Amino acid sequence: MTDNTTDTDEPSTAEEPREGDDDPSRRRLIRWIAVLAFAVPVVVEVLTFGGLLSNELLPGGDGEESGDGTATSDDSPTATATATPREGAVGVGDELLADTQAVETVEVSEVRGEPGSRTYILRVTVENTTDAAVELRLTGVTLHDGTALDSVSSTGAILAGERGEVTGAWQLPMDSMPASVDAVLVRDGEVHTERSVPLKRPPIRG
C-alpha cells in the first residue's frame, strides 16, 4: 500500500534577526546624543545673551565707572561727575534760590587748582525784580566730609530793578570737594531766605 501523504515544508513564523538591526537601547542613546548636540549651543547662546542684557539694564555699584574700568565715588577728586545728582543741586546756569522773587543765577562754580592748593570759586549774579532793595550773602560752604568753611561775601544792597553780583572763594583741602553753599537773601534790611543749597560737582581748572 502506497502512502500518498507528502511532506511539505511548513513556513516558519519566527523572523530571524536581520543583520544591521540596532539594539533599542543603542537607538535611544543615539537620539539623546543628537538632542544634546542641538540643545547645548542653544543654551549657551541664551545664557550669553541674558548676561549681556543684565549688564546693560541692571548696572551695579554706587560709583560711576571711569575709562579704565574702575569705579569712582562722588568724593573722589578724579571723578568727573556724580553717579546720581542730588535733588535740587545747582551749577552754572541754575538759579541759586529758585523760590525767591529776585533772580540769583550761578555764573561760575569751579575749583581752581595750583601747586599745593585748591580754591573753590562761586560767582552769582542777582537781578532785583522786587520793589525793595535786596542783598545776597554767601556765608560758607560744606565739604563732602562734613567740614564747614566759613567766609562771608555779599552783593551789598541792590536797588529795585538793578543788578549786582557776589563772588565767594574758599580754600579747600587737596582731597576734598564742596557739597553745599550757605546763602542768605536779605530784603529791605531783613533776612528773607536762609538756606544751605546743594552743589553740582564743580569742574577742576588748572
Side-chain angles (χ1 to χ4, degrees), residues 172-204:
L172 303 178
M174 291 300 293
D175 59 348
S176 297
M177 294 291 281
S180 62
V181 60
D182 299 325
V184 179
L185 183 69
V186 178
R187 181 177 177 184
D188 205 14
E190 296 185 357
V191 174
H192 179 269
T193 303
E194 186 172 5
R195 184 178 309 151
S196 178
V197 182
L199 296 166
K200 294 177 181 177
R201 184 179 182 85
I204 300 175

Side-chain angles (χ1 to χ4, degrees), residues 28-105:
R28 281 196 298 270
L29 178 60
I30 292 173
R31 281 198 298 269
W32 277 112
I33 291 174
V35 170
L36 291 175
F38 173 78
V40 169
V42 173
V43 172
V44 170
E45 290 294 331
V46 169
L47 292 177
T48 302
F49 178 75
L52 293 174
L53 190 62
S54 175
N55 288 337
E56 288 294 326
L57 298 182
L58 301 172
D62 295 329
E64 187 174 77
E65 190 171 288
S66 63
D68 59 0
T70 58
T72 56
S73 68
D74 182 58
D75 292 339
S76 170
T78 58
T80 57
T82 55
T84 52
R86 289 167 298 159
E87 184 178 358
V90 300
V92 174
D94 296 328
E95 190 172 355
L96 187 67
L97 301 170
D99 57 351
T100 63
Q101 288 184 325
V103 180
E104 314 88 5
T105 305

Side-chain angles (χ1 to χ4, degrees), residues 74-75 86 111 120 122 138-151 169-173 176-183 195-202:
D74 182 58
D75 292 339
R86 289 167 298 159
V111 174
Y120 175 58
L122 179 66
L138 305 177
T139 60
V141 296
T142 301
L143 308 182
H144 281 283
D145 62 5
T147 301
L149 304 177
D150 297 327
S151 178
W170 296 268
Q171 289 292 124
L172 303 178
S176 297
M177 294 291 281
S180 62
V181 60
D182 299 325
R195 184 178 309 151
S196 178
V197 182
L199 296 166
K200 294 177 181 177
R201 184 179 182 85

